[in-house]
Amino acid sequence: MTANERAFARALESLPGGVSSPVRSFGAVGGTPRVIAAGAGAELVDVDGERLLDFVGSWGPLILGHAHPEVLSALHDACERGTTFGAPCPGEAALAERVIDAYAGIEKVRFVSSGTEATMSAIRLARGVTGRDLVVKFAGCYHGHADHLLVQAGSGLATFARPSSAGVPEAFASQTLVCDLDDERGLADLFTAHSERIAAVIIEPVPANCGLLIQRREFLADVARQTREQGALLILDEVISGFRLARGGAAQLLGLEPDLATFGKVIGGGLPVGAFAGRAELMDHLAPEGDVYQAGTLSGNPLAMAAGLATLDVLEREDGWTRLEDLGRLLEERLTPILEAGRLPARLVRVGSIFWLSLQEGEAPRRADAIEPVAATRYRELFHGLLSRGVALAPSAFEVGFLSLAHEYEHVERLEDALEQVLGESGEA
Ligand SMILES: *Cc1c(COP(=O)(O)O)cnc(C)c1O
């Protein structure tokens, strides 16, 4: 038995599924997850000392790679001053100002400790402000695990959503309406059927939790227009895309200006942070100014603020977004011919530093229901083929990969070589 197998067997004894979050298990691909001892730059090191080239990046936060020296040094300084105060700290206003400065239409920010809390609280605020209850989400978009957001795709246009987890009361799920992506007519039908009852429309502007489902600009513009015309609030869930795709998030890239935006992942520089933000007129409905309650013992934590600020400092100073786009373009140029020549149907879908392998024939899908189930079977083989060659992608066909500023030309080449072996004629998984 390897140290890794022993460590995971031990975890299975005390943690459900051996993990603290289900996506980390290898449920979808089979096998034993690597138990990680350390990370440095673009690499992970498991408890056996085996090094893995990492394209998961802790599922999005690590835009500078693992253990970036400036983030560590900021954390070290902050630690020495204490880890939490339960009182205002200067880092909160400093990070809030960075968000306000970067993101169009935002005047105030509330910090929380996860993306889940950010979207959950933004929706409570939208309901409090509008006095309406219903929320529209899009099939395939993930907004964290709050009860009313954990609902599946409804296929009928005006059907109420079904919970996609046991333990979510129908009564909660019934407050969420589900629309298909790429379908402005479907949204119009929902607004017609539930006129003046919809508080908010929430969407990932670049949906990246069910493959990478790149949306038409006209569709997103139409979602924004309809939402405004109907007196509902538009919430852009930028938990993945915020500070990753551009300084001003996907909104900047796509020319959108939401009423509320949610952040997480990159904004915390690898520590547990989320945030939601909007115009002062909306945000001032939050307690203690207003009557929408929201709170958190560790919200605005000084360590988390320091890690977030250090991350944004490096991104801005090094023109990180341009570098990541260049790296992404390189990845696309190098991988596309290999995928086209390989023995599986495969295409690289990419926006900036977010990429996904679509393992089916034809155009890249734009909707969750356009992803063929066979893609998951093909992915198992690809995933293990790469892992056995020291390259870590996410253990699910529906998860995206992330590039970081720690990735260099040689890392792209290593992925390219591994992929060529796995997909090549002689490749065996
Ligand atoms: C990850 C994610 C969330 C949830 O964030 P957690 O920090 O995992 O709670 C919400 N929305 C989107 C778009 C995400 O990718």
Side-chain angles (χ1 to χ4, degrees):
M1 229 192 198
T2 64
N4 194 83
E5 284 162 347
R6 275 198 305 278
F8 193 66
R10 178 181 170 194
L12 279 170
E13 295 293 314
S14 56
L15 306 167
V19 292
S20 299
S21 189
V23 288
R24 298 176 196 172
S25 79
F26 277 16
V29 291
T32 304
R34 301 300 177 96
V35 179
I36 303 303
E43 289 188 329
L44 290 164
V45 185
D46 74 10
V47 290
D48 284 304
E50 196 194 322
R51 288 161 51 175
L52 295 169
L53 176 56
D54 180 25
F55 290 102
V56 186
S58 191
W59 305 83
L62 296 181
I63 198 162
L64 306 183
H66 295 272
H68 190 280
E70 274 185 53
V71 176
L72 293 191
S73 142
L75 273 172
H76 190 262
D77 289 351
C79 270
E80 293 200 322
R81 294 191 292 272
T83 57
T84 176
F85 311 127
C89 71
E92 294 171 282
L95 189 54
E97 286 159 11
R98 300 291 280 272
V99 177
I100 291 161
D101 192 46
Y103 201 96
I106 278 182
E107 294 169 339
K108 287 197 176 173
V109 181
R110 168 71 50 100
F111 288 108
V112 291
S113 298
S114 67
T116 294
E117 283 178 84
T119 58
M120 182 182 89
S121 309
I123 283 173
R124 183 181 304 146
L125 178 60
R127 286 174 164 154
V129 169
T130 59
R132 301 173 177 185
D133 285 343
L134 297 176
V135 168
V136 176
K137 79 176 281 287
F138 291 86
C141 286
Y142 177 68
H143 305 293
H145 61 89
D147 279 337
H148 56 278
L149 287 170
L150 211 54
V151 290
Q152 240 167 12
S155 50
L157 282 179
T159 48
F160 283 100
R162 286 271 148 71
S164 60
S165 162
V168 176
E170 290 281 352
F172 291 9
S174 72
Q175 300 305 302
T176 304
L177 306 164
V178 180
C179 186
D180 282 314
L181 287 163
D182 194 38
D183 180 13
E184 43 272 78
R185 273 291 304 278
L187 183 62
D189 290 345
L190 286 179
F191 271 123
T192 305
H194 305 281
S195 165
E196 307 204 352
R197 292 182 58 211
I198 295 174
V201 174
I202 184 167
I203 188 167
E204 288 179 75
V206 178
N209 277 289
C210 186
L212 186 57
L213 305 173
I214 298 175
Q215 298 303 295
R216 290 174 293 116
R217 278 180 89 107
E218 312 84 74
F219 166 70
L220 293 167
D222 201 63
V223 168
R225 180 191 59 78
Q226 289 192 44
T227 304
R228 204 144 296 155
E229 281 177 11
Q230 298 287 333
L233 299 184
L234 178 66
I235 305 174
L236 287 189
D237 184 351
E238 297 245 27
V239 169
I240 282 188
S241 49
F243 293 102
R244 174 168 283 280
L245 293 183
R247 190 165 165 271
Q252 177 188 326
L253 224 58
L254 298 163
L256 296 168
E257 197 170 306
D259 297 295
L260 297 171
T262 58
F263 301 93
K265 299 188 172 128
V266 170
I267 201 180
L271 268 78
V273 182
F276 60 107
R279 297 187 299 280
E281 149 241 335
L282 296 175
M283 294 300 287
D284 285 342
H285 282 261
L286 285 172
E289 298 284 315
D291 57 2
V292 178
Y293 192 71
Q294 193 284 326
T297 301
L298 294 175
S299 294
N301 174 267
L303 304 189
M305 299 296 105
L309 281 164
T311 299
L312 298 191
D313 280 345
V314 175
L315 279 168
E316 284 177 12
R317 193 186 62 229
E318 299 190 357
D319 193 12
W321 297 287
T322 306
R323 276 182 55 197
L324 287 166
E325 171 58 28
D326 291 347
L327 196 66
R329 197 173 310 119
L330 174 75
L331 182 86
E332 194 170 332
E333 280 165 17
R334 302 298 291 253
L335 261 45
T336 298
I338 290 166
L339 295 171
E340 279 173 357
R343 66 200 154 76
L344 297 175
R347 123 193 339 259
L348 187 84
V349 184
R350 178 186 73 88
V351 182
S353 56
I354 309 176
F355 66 93
W356 178 56
L357 295 172
S358 169
L359 300 180
Q360 63 190 51
E361 305 284 354
E363 288 300 301
R366 268 205 263 272
R367 294 164 46 143
D369 60 4
I371 301 178
E372 296 167 16
V374 66
T377 314
R378 291 176 179 145
Y379 189 76
R380 277 171 90 100
E381 183 193 338
L382 193 71
F383 169 83
H384 283 292
L386 291 175
L387 190 64
S388 67
R389 289 167 175 85
V391 177
L393 294 186
S396 160
F398 301 99
E399 300 288 349
V400 294
F402 293 104
L403 294 169
S404 75
L405 288 183
H407 287 110
E408 314 228 6
Y409 186 79
E410 56 155 318
H411 300 122
V412 172
E413 271 190 325
R414 265 166 70 187
L415 173 58
E416 181 189 343
D417 290 346
L419 204 58
E420 192 161 29
Q421 288 172 29
V422 175
L423 289 178
E425 221 64 277
S426 60
E428 91 304 344

